[in-house]
């Protein structure tokens, strides 16, 4: 059975679709049996495409995320997915508040902690930032997904 991975941020239009898109891109290239999805803890942007600044930054590096559409995280995701990754601590706490038991609570990890990032535990929100903020998020998630792919290859 495919391993299911969910990436979660606040709006599901910047960080988590980028994390999902990068992971999807790499999984396809390696032909791994992994399903990817993303969601936002907030419902502000349900049905929207990723932010055009994130789409354009991804496209610059050859990654297409224009087909992704935002949805809101729901409690049942904690059952459905094998891995649930939060982009920041607020997203993590909001998801953990919906957990039915300790197993579900412990499933919600900070993505950068999962990959043992040397400097950061949270992916900064680029929404109110400039182009450099989007480039920073892309590079951070590119590196983090490379590390996580090594875990997926071993499954
Ligand atoms: P994301 O960024 O959580 O990385 O998708 C945001 C997108 C929208 C908003 C905040 C953050 N917003 O306030 O609408």
């Amino acid at each position: 059975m495919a391993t299911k991975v969910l990436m979660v941020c606040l709006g599901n239009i910047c960080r988590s679709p980028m994390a999902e898109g990068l992971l999807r891109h790499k999984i396809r290239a390696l032909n791994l049996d992994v399903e990817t999805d993303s969601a936002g803890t907030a419902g502000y942007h349900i049905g929207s495409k990723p932010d055009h600044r994130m789409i354009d930054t991804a496209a610059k590096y050859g990654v297409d995320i224009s087909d992704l559409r935002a949805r809101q995280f729901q409690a049942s995701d904690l059952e459905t997915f094998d891995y649930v990754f939060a982009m920041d601590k607020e997203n993590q706490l909001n998801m953990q508040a919906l957990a039915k038991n300790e197993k579900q609570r412990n499933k919600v990890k900070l993505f950068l902690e999962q990959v043992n990032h040397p400097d950061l535990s949270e992916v900064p929100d680029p929404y109110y930032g400039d182009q450099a903020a989007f480039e920073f998020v892309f590079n951070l998630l590119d590196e983090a997904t490379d590390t996580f792919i090594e875990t997926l290859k071993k499954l």
Side-chain angles (χ1 to χ4, degrees):
M1 236 184 11
T3 302
K4 295 186 169 67
V5 183
L6 182 67
M7 300 291 189
V8 179
C9 62
L10 176 64
N12 193 208
I13 55 168
C14 300
R15 294 166 290 175
S16 62
M18 192 64 260
E20 178 191 357
L22 277 161
L23 198 60
R24 178 177 71 171
H25 187 76
K26 294 169 191 187
I27 281 163
R28 283 179 180 164
L30 291 166
N31 210 10
L32 295 175
D33 190 17
V34 176
E35 287 174 16
T36 57
D37 196 4
S38 63
T41 55
Y44 316 137
H45 299 283
I46 293 170
S48 298
K49 284 184 173 194
D51 188 291
H52 66 91
R53 297 166 295 176
M54 200 75 260
I55 292 178
D56 293 347
T57 306
K60 205 170 106 180
Y61 294 101
V63 182
D64 182 13
I65 58 167
S66 62
D67 61 309
L68 300 177
R69 296 293 178 273
R71 72 167 178 93
Q72 190 165 16
F73 176 80
Q74 49 192 29
S76 60
D77 290 326
L78 295 171
E79 195 59 49
T80 308
F81 288 87
D82 301 297
Y83 292 93
V84 178
F85 292 129
M87 296 297 119
D88 66 37
K89 288 173 188 159
E90 191 185 337
N91 314 147
Q92 183 184 33
L93 286 174
N94 285 333
M95 288 191 276
Q96 285 175 332
L98 298 175
K100 276 198 297 205
N101 52 45
E102 208 48 25
K103 185 175 173 228
Q104 289 191 350
R105 226 186 78 77
N106 291 333
K107 197 185 273 188
V108 185
K109 311 264 195 238
L110 284 172
F111 188 44
L112 296 185
E113 282 189 354
Q114 169 77 27
V115 300
N116 295 314
H117 193 279
D119 309 313
L120 294 172
S121 58
E122 301 183 290
V123 180
D125 183 353
Y127 191 64
Y128 296 105
D130 55 12
Q131 179 57 29
F134 282 84
E135 295 270 345
F136 183 83
V137 165
F138 180 89
N139 287 316
L140 186 58
L141 290 171
D142 191 25
E143 190 187 327
T145 48
D146 270 348
T147 307
F148 184 54
I149 280 281
E150 294 306 316
T151 301
L152 293 173
K153 277 188 195 166
K154 291 184 198 134
L155 294 178

